[in-house]
Structures are given as C-alpha cells and as structure tokens.
Amino acid sequence: MIARKSKHVYIGSAGLYRGGERKDAMTPGMPTIDAAPSESDAPGGVRQRDAANTRQCLLQAARRRFAHDGYAATTVRDIATDAGVNVALINRYFTSKEGLFEACLTRAVEELDRPIPESDTVELMLQTMLRHLAELPSGEHPLGLLLLLRSSGDESAERIRRNTFRHFAERLAAAAGWRPDDAETEHLMLRAQIALSVGFGIVLLRTTSGLEALSSASAGDLAGPLGDVFAALLEPAPDARP
Amino acid sequence: MIARKSKHVYIGSAGLYRGGERKDAMTPGMPTIDAAPSESDAPGGVRQRDAANTRQCLLQAARRRFAHDGYAATTVRDIATDAGVNVALINRYFTSKEGLFEACLTRAVEELDRPIPESDTVELMLQTMLRHLAELPSGEHPLGLLLLLRSSGDESAERIRRNTFRHFAERLAAAAGWRPDDAETEHLMLRAQIALSVGFGIVLLRTTSGLEALSSASAGDLAGPLGDVFAALLEPAPDARP
DNA sequence: ATGCTATGTAAACAGTTGGCGACTTAGGCC
DNA sequence: GGCCTAAGTCGCCAACTGTTTACATAGCAT
C-alpha cells in the first residue's frame, strides 16, 4: 500500500479551504478571493481578466497551504487549484514557488508589524500577540505567525524570518526594560524570547496537536493564562529575580 | 535560475550532521552510528553486515533529518547517505518512508515517556521538560520534542502524535490538580496545554529562529524563567483566579 | 565444498514536481 | 475594423522521489 500524498479537502471552521477538485467547480470563471464560488460565474462563462485579483487569489491560497501544510509539502498545483487559476501564472507573477512563499512571508510580516504605537508596553505586545493567536472577525485563523514557522530553506526567505523574530524579540525585551549593552538587563532578552516562544508554541499546537481545549479556545480564554505568563516572565517581580 | 533543493551540510553544535556527500567518505565501510567515521574502516575495506546496526544508523539519521528539516523536505536518499547505507534498505527494514518516520516517532515517544515516577508533580514535569529542551550529555540536542512537531500527514503517525500530546497534557493538568469531569478544575486543562505549548515553542524557536540568547541557553539558563512560567500557569495563585 | 539465507548493492521504474516556451485570447486604443 | 499588449492556457520536460526488482556476496550450517 502506497501512502499517496493526501489531496485533502479542508473544511476549516469558516471554510478555510474549499474542496480539492476546485477546477471542476470553478473554471472557467473568475478566480474569487474568498468563500464559495460566486453565483455569477456560469460554468460556460467567459474568463475575466484581472491581474491584481488573480495575484491576490494566489497569495491567499498560498498562505493557507504554506501555513497549514508547510512549504515542502505543498505543490504549486495545489495552490493554483485552490486559487482557481492556471499553474503557470504562479511563475508569471511570482517568478517561482520560492518567490510566492517570500511574498506570503513579506505580507505576513507587514500584517504583524502594522500596529506600532511608538511606545511599546508589555501589555500592548501581549494584546497584539493575542490578536494574532485567535480568530479573526472573518472567522479565519490568522496565518501570519504560522507562516513564520514554515521554513522554505531558501536563503532570502530565511533571512526575513530571522529578522522578524529578532525584531519582535527586541521590541518585547525593550518593552520589559531591556537596554542594549546593558548587562544588568541582559536576562530580559532571554525572557522576551521565551515569551515569544509561548505565542508561537500556542499557535502551532492550536493548529496541529489536536488538543481540544487549546484549539477551540477563544482570545478571551487565552487572555488570562497568557497574561499570567507574560507577567511572570517580563514584569519585574516584587522579590528580585536574576 | 532554478532554486534547487539545498543539499545542505549540517555542522551542528556538536556535529549534528557530517558533510553532505557522506557516500564518498564512508562507503564501503561499516555504517557507524555516531560521530566521526571510526578509524578502523579502511576505504577499500570489506562491507560488514550487521542488520541491527544499520537499522540503528538509519533511525538515527532519520531522526535528525526529520526533526530538523521536516518530513516532506527530507528524502530517503538524504537519510541513506547520512547513515552511510544503501537507499533500498530503508524499505527493507521499515517498509516505507512513512514506516521509518513512524519508527522514529515511536522511539521518541518512548524516550519522552520513560521516567514516570508514579506521582507526577508540576515540579517534576518541569524538570522533565527542561531535560528535553537542553543539551544531552553527549552534546546533541534532544530531538524527541522536535519530531513531535513534524507531521507526516500519515494517519497512523498523526494518531501517535495526537495521543502523545493528549497524554502529556493530561499528566501535566492532573499534576496541577485537574480532575476529569470536574468543571471546577476545567480551566487547568487549558493552562496545562499552554504550558506544553511553551516547551514546544521553545524547542522550535531554539532550532529554527536564530534567536541567539534562546538557542544558546543552557538548561540552567532556562530553568528560572520556565519555572516562573509553570508556576504562573499551574500553581494555585494566592488570589483566586478563574 | 555445497547450498541457503540474511544482508547489501545497483539499476531502473513509475509517478510527481517545478518550471518553461509556444500559443491563444480578451480588451482597450487608434 | 485592425492592432497591440497584457493575461491566461496548454503541453512538455528534465529532474527528483519513493519504491521495486534483479543481482551479488558474506557468513553459516551441513
């Protein structure tokens, strides 16, 4: 018995994925960014042309696949099918599979880094993390953090990843009082990185461990425990702690 | 320019991997389980036969590859080359790539579950986790936790993964006072799963994020912060916490 | 030695994958 | 209309991947 690659059909909480053999259902219509195929695209209809839209569709589909299955496990054909788009267009718009992944990563980093309220506090960073752990208003899980964990092996993508990690670690550490070259506060960097680990660990186990309580927890459910963790790690304790 | 699969050369902290083109250096000698090729295997020497040994070599090499690169990204030829063994032997001894992965997973679970001191305490679980986060006496990083995060997509392997997660979550939760079907202690399950996330998050970021402080931290360095986290999550706080 | 089996080797196979080049066509502009 | 370019399609390929098959041989019992 050969364990063939699973062409799984995702039925996420809010329809993360539509069925596998999208091609039959979609083409030749206009690629749609989200949810069910729009009513308007008749099966025999005319393929409309909209470069920006197809680009977005590809990005969206790629984000989901990459985040969920990892880089190596997803094929460009998977992505194209999900997006309801011809495979060759991936290379047209993103040069290569690596290019597409890098585009996903870049967009994810932008999303994660958007709210920079100048003065960081541990509390604010905690809320940002919470927002990216839990469900979006649209009902979809945020994929940015997850994407950051899916390495492609490509050098330039890897650099983006590492820079992002370092950037957030430093922001978090700084919010907790860490200052560069200050040996006195050096331990805070490690603690900030551990705090970061918590977030990534949660997002990973939420999506891949099958732990019921964790994967179904809402932002509100996580707020309490996660607040305790951040406080224990980064808030100066009453009794001095090396 | 085609982004070819990187046949990287691992030079781990304690020589996790030896160079990529092992075949030239190793064959035809006896496959060796660890470290540098033993002095005794002359290049023109006779290939010795030792099924148990080659099995172990394959397992070891597979563990490293799977844990480090993920299931999909590692090829059976990679593993065979690392182990200094013919590719076909993977299928002989483990039926398939999936079988080999499952064997790795099973062994990892055994290692993780070894010390069951009957009565679990949060403190003991913390120490167990610490032991699997930090370096082994041999100088190698423990790969068990990491392997648990690398899904193969195979149904039976996935079941092992999930059962292991659930098992440890319940052990940890129980150690903190959780009792099945006791709504009063239900919140402890979520907290235990978050505590688990911390461990997995750390092991993941230690190996893939390039965060210096974290990846070079010793068990002793982690003990303090991690102890704080576990305490904040699982030790009953003086002021009641829902 | 003779045979037998466990072990190991080499080559090939069938399916998949990412990428590319030649082609078609929609839609705007003159 | 005629033309042009961007957008999309189609078929192919070379490389790679997991697996199998046919073959070689070491070690051992007889």
Side-chain angles (χ1 to χ4, degrees):
Chain A
M1 190 67 56
I2 303 176
R4 276 280 148 256
K5 187 164 197 296
S6 62
K7 297 293 177 187
H8 26 209
V9 177
Y10 294 91
I11 314 187
S13 59
L16 247 192
Y17 284 79
R18 274 110 64 237
E21 294 303 326
R22 265 282 303 277
K23 202 170 191 181
D24 301 334
M26 281 295 294
T27 47
M30 176 145 168
T32 51
I33 282 195
D34 210 0
S38 64
E39 333 289 330
S40 57
D41 54 354
V46 189
R47 149 81 56 200
Q48 285 176 257
R49 301 185 166 199
D50 185 341
N53 179 263
T54 44
R55 248 189 83 102
Q56 282 306 307
C57 286
L58 281 173
L59 262 176
Q60 184 81 353
R63 268 168 66 89
R64 291 167 172 163
R65 284 283 184 181
F66 284 145
H68 216 273
D69 304 343
Y71 179 82
T74 63
T75 72
V76 289
R77 285 173 173 85
D78 286 341
I79 297 171
T81 302
D82 284 355
V85 148
N86 191 288
V87 207
L89 296 181
I90 288 179
N91 294 90
R92 177 193 288 282
Y93 289 126
F94 301 96
T95 324
S96 66
K97 185 189 178 186
E98 288 287 354
L100 177 53
F101 181 74
E102 211 176 301
C104 290
L105 211 52
T106 303
R107 193 184 122 183
V109 171
E110 280 169 9
E111 282 179 13
L112 288 170
D113 223 357
R114 201 178 308 166
I116 315 181
E118 199 46 54
S119 68
D120 280 336
T121 61
V122 172
E123 180 63 27
L124 275 171
M125 295 287 289
L126 168 62
Q127 281 174 16
T128 303
M129 176 129 287
L130 264 173
R131 193 167 52 248
H132 288 282
L133 283 184
E135 211 137 335
L136 293 176
S138 66
E140 247 186 56
H141 283 84
L143 304 171
L145 292 180
L146 212 42
L147 257 180
L148 235 34
L149 295 177
R150 307 300 196 181
S151 54
S152 74
D154 179 60
E155 192 47 54
S156 103
E158 214 66 7
R159 196 169 46 246
I160 297 177
R161 266 170 30 91
R162 294 177 183 230
N163 283 346
T164 308
F165 279 128
R166 192 167 45 77
H167 173 62
F168 277 101
E170 286 183 2
R171 268 183 65 183
L172 193 49
W178 170 82
R179 295 290 169 261
D181 307 321
D182 181 353
E184 197 75 15
T185 63
E186 196 51 44
H187 69 286
L188 284 173
M189 178 52 80
L190 176 60
R191 282 172 171 265
Q193 294 180 3
I194 292 177
L196 223 54
S197 303
V198 184
F200 283 99
I202 289 178
V203 81
L204 193 63
L205 261 55
R206 261 169 85 84
T207 54
T208 69
S209 73
L211 292 174
E212 192 41 50
L214 192 59
S215 52
S216 67
S218 70
D221 298 331
L222 294 173
L226 211 57
D228 291 351
V229 171
F230 270 57
L233 277 175
L234 301 173
E235 302 285 349
D239 48 340
R241 215 178 267 285
Chain B
M1 187 67 61
I2 302 177
R4 278 277 150 258
K5 187 166 199 299
S6 61
K7 297 291 177 188
H8 26 210
V9 177
Y10 293 92
I11 315 186
S13 59
L16 248 192
Y17 283 78
R18 271 104 74 236
E21 293 305 324
R22 264 282 303 277
K23 200 170 191 180
D24 301 336
M26 283 294 296
T27 48
M30 176 145 168
T32 50
I33 280 195
D34 209 358
S38 65
E39 333 289 332
S40 57
D41 54 354
V46 189
R47 149 80 56 200
Q48 285 176 258
R49 302 186 167 200
D50 184 342
N53 180 263
T54 44
R55 248 189 82 102
Q56 284 306 307
C57 286
L58 281 173
L59 261 176
Q60 184 80 354
R63 270 168 66 89
R64 292 167 173 162
R65 284 284 183 178
F66 284 146
H68 215 274
D69 304 343
Y71 179 83
T74 65
T75 72
V76 289
R77 285 175 173 86
D78 286 340
I79 298 171
T81 303
D82 284 353
V85 148
N86 190 288
V87 208
L89 296 181
I90 287 180
N91 294 284
R92 178 190 290 285
Y93 289 125
F94 300 96
T95 324
S96 66
K97 186 189 177 187
E98 287 285 349
L100 177 54
F101 181 74
E102 211 175 300
C104 291
L105 210 53
T106 304
R107 193 184 122 183
V109 171
E110 281 168 8
E111 283 179 12
L112 288 170
D113 222 357
R114 201 179 306 166
I116 316 183
E118 197 49 49
S119 69
D120 281 336
T121 62
V122 171
E123 180 62 29
L124 275 171
M125 295 287 290
L126 168 62
Q127 281 174 18
T128 304
M129 175 130 287
L130 265 173
R131 192 167 53 247
H132 288 282
L133 284 184
E135 210 137 337
L136 291 175
S138 66
E140 247 187 55
H141 282 83
L143 304 171
L145 292 181
L146 212 42
L147 257 180
L148 235 34
L149 295 178
R150 306 301 196 180
S151 55
S152 75
D154 179 59
E155 192 46 53
S156 103
E158 212 67 7
R159 197 169 46 246
I160 297 177
R161 267 170 29 91
R162 295 178 182 230
N163 283 345
T164 308
F165 279 128
R166 193 167 44 77
H167 173 63
F168 277 102
E170 286 183 2
R171 268 183 66 182
L172 192 50
W178 169 82
R179 296 290 169 262
D181 305 321
D182 181 353
E184 198 75 13
T185 63
E186 196 50 45
H187 68 285
L188 284 173
M189 178 52 80
L190 176 61
R191 281 171 171 266
Q193 294 180 3
I194 292 177
L196 223 54
S197 303
V198 184
F200 283 99
I202 289 178
V203 81
L204 192 64
L205 260 56
R206 262 169 85 84
T207 53
T208 69
S209 73
L211 291 174
E212 193 41 52
L214 192 60
S215 53
S216 67
S218 70
D221 298 329
L222 294 173
L226 211 56
D228 291 351
V229 171
F230 270 57
L233 277 175
L234 301 172
E235 303 285 350
D239 49 341
R241 215 180 268 284

